[in-house]
Amino acid sequence: MESKNTIGDLICGRYRLKMSGEDFRPVVMGVLNVTPDSFSDGGLHVSLDLAITHAENMIAEGVDIIDIGGESTRPGAPPLSVEEELSRVMPVIYALRDCGKPLSLDTRRAAVMREAIAAGIDMINDVEGFRDEKSLRVVSESDCGLCIMHMQGEPQTMQQHPHYVDVMTEVSTFLAKRVAAAESVGIARNRICVDPGFGFGKTLQHNLDLLANIEQIQSALRLPVLAGLSRKSMIGQLTGKPVEQRLAGSLAAALAAVKHGARILRVHDVGATVDALKVWQAVEAV
Ligand code: 8Y4
């Protein structure tokens, strides 16, 4: 008999990721930001080197998927041109193409998705949930995985007045509709994971309600849930800590997400998360 917690493998381009069963362990997606930072002189070469070194470190620490992002989706971040986004992410995709780990691209733009797919990206992580039908069409012509995320509003303003009558129903219904839209253009269900989008147009209470009910979303959609909680403002709200002091809170949030059924964790601190999961799993296996 198949358990109600059984979720099929996730197909991501060249890779097939186990999502349940005896030897399942939660999949760790490591965040690789290629936005220019204060340590960089702004030159492309410098930020490319930093990104590659960061990716190598994450691989050594046990990362399962590398999520490359060139556009900051943090509240208040300015929009980026397609050309600028491509110039940031494409060199990183080419450099990491044969690193042995599936590569994901965090982008909302169909034109960027098209280039990344041509370069061999394994997954597209779209915080807009592929609401642009062009994106769905581009992705349908490939075999890459999809992460369909819920967001209320737009990144610039989404945290101003988050409002739901029933956050669980609204997020689940949105995700179910986007999954149906993907299937309607011929995308197989086993290429899709879903994400409630923690912090994307949500108050602390909305985030906590969603976190405590991940299993409900997962069993309603029968698709693996990805949870991105790492360093987010909900951790800051609960601990009173600034972003650079949120590791302990983020680890607790990651384990809470796993307890509630999350199959994939999007994190900044790969080594610490892998350690926490090893301890968690050892106890669960008794
Ligand atoms: C500190 C650190 C403060 C990080 C804010 C943040 C998700 C995502 C992001 C997510 C999926 C972020 C691209 C926001 N979050 N993709 N992307 N799920 N699928 N903020 O939760 O990390 S960016």
Side-chain angles (χ1 to χ4, degrees):
M1 238 271 287
E2 282 222 332
S3 147
K4 67 173 167 48
N5 294 324
T6 301
I7 298 280
D9 295 355
L10 180 66
I11 307 295
C12 302
R14 303 165 287 171
Y15 298 85
R16 170 184 286 262
L17 303 176
K18 265 193 87 58
M19 290 290 134
S20 51
E22 279 287 275
D23 55 345
F24 169 74
R25 81 175 179 81
V27 171
V28 175
M29 171 186 270
V31 177
L32 184 63
N33 282 321
V34 289
T35 52
D37 65 280
S38 52
F39 303 108
S40 156
D41 64 1
L44 198 59
H45 188 67
V46 172
S47 50
L48 178 60
D49 278 355
L50 279 176
I52 304 313
T53 303
H54 186 195
E56 285 167 351
N57 290 338
M58 291 199 292
I59 292 167
E61 291 171 343
V63 79
D64 300 300
I65 311 177
I66 298 172
D67 188 39
I68 301 164
E71 192 207 21
S72 177
T73 36
R74 290 188 194 186
L80 203 68
S81 74
V82 167
E83 292 68 31
E84 177 69 4
E85 191 178 344
L86 283 170
S87 76
R88 290 182 188 183
V89 301
M90 293 309 295
V92 178
I93 295 173
Y94 289 125
L96 295 178
R97 168 98 174 86
D98 298 314
C99 75
K101 297 293 174 185
L103 300 182
S104 163
L105 180 66
D106 155 23
T107 188
R108 301 185 278 161
R109 292 194 170 100
V112 178
M113 294 177 193
R114 181 180 288 113
E115 293 294 317
I117 286 168
I121 204 83
D122 298 294
M123 176 183 255
I124 301 286
N125 172 27
D126 181 359
V127 300
E128 281 183 1
F130 299 86
R131 275 178 274 176
D132 176 354
E133 294 293 329
K134 279 199 298 294
S135 316
L136 273 189
R137 222 176 314 118
V138 167
V139 167
S140 74
E141 289 159 9
S142 77
D143 61 354
C144 72
L146 289 76
C147 178
I148 298 183
M149 200 194 82
H150 174 273
M151 166 165 59
Q152 184 179 78
E154 288 292 310
Q156 311 271 23
T157 53
M158 65 191 178
Q159 288 306 102
Q160 287 172 10
H161 307 287
H163 175 79
Y164 301 83
V165 174
D166 175 346
V167 69
M168 278 298 298
T169 304
E170 288 177 48
V171 169
S172 295
T173 302
F174 170 85
L175 294 173
K177 282 184 180 158
R178 296 317 305 151
V179 170
E183 288 189 273
S184 76
V185 296
I187 295 167
R189 276 181 73 78
N190 63 5
R191 294 171 53 192
I192 303 174
C193 65
V194 293
D195 182 340
F198 294 102
F200 285 85
K202 280 116 188 159
T203 64
L204 175 59
Q205 193 58 52
H206 296 141
N207 288 320
L208 291 172
D209 285 347
L210 289 164
L211 178 51
N213 290 289
I214 285 173
E215 193 62 71
Q216 193 184 312
I217 299 175
Q218 198 158 240
S219 56
L221 297 175
R222 304 211 50 81
L223 291 173
V225 167
L226 184 154
L229 295 150
S230 180
R231 298 184 187 175
K232 282 190 178 170
S233 66
M234 69 176 284
I235 310 293
Q237 288 172 280
L238 293 168
T239 60
K241 298 284 177 69
V243 65
E244 66 278 7
Q245 291 172 36
R246 294 180 187 165
L247 174 57
S250 297
L251 295 175
L255 295 184
V258 168
K259 172 191 149 170
H260 289 286
R263 298 302 207 268
I264 308 173
L265 301 169
R266 182 178 180 277
V267 306
H268 298 86
D269 301 285
V270 170
T273 306
V274 168
D275 283 358
L277 288 171
K278 282 180 179 167
V279 174
W280 175 272
Q281 294 279 104
V283 182
E284 289 301 291
V286 172

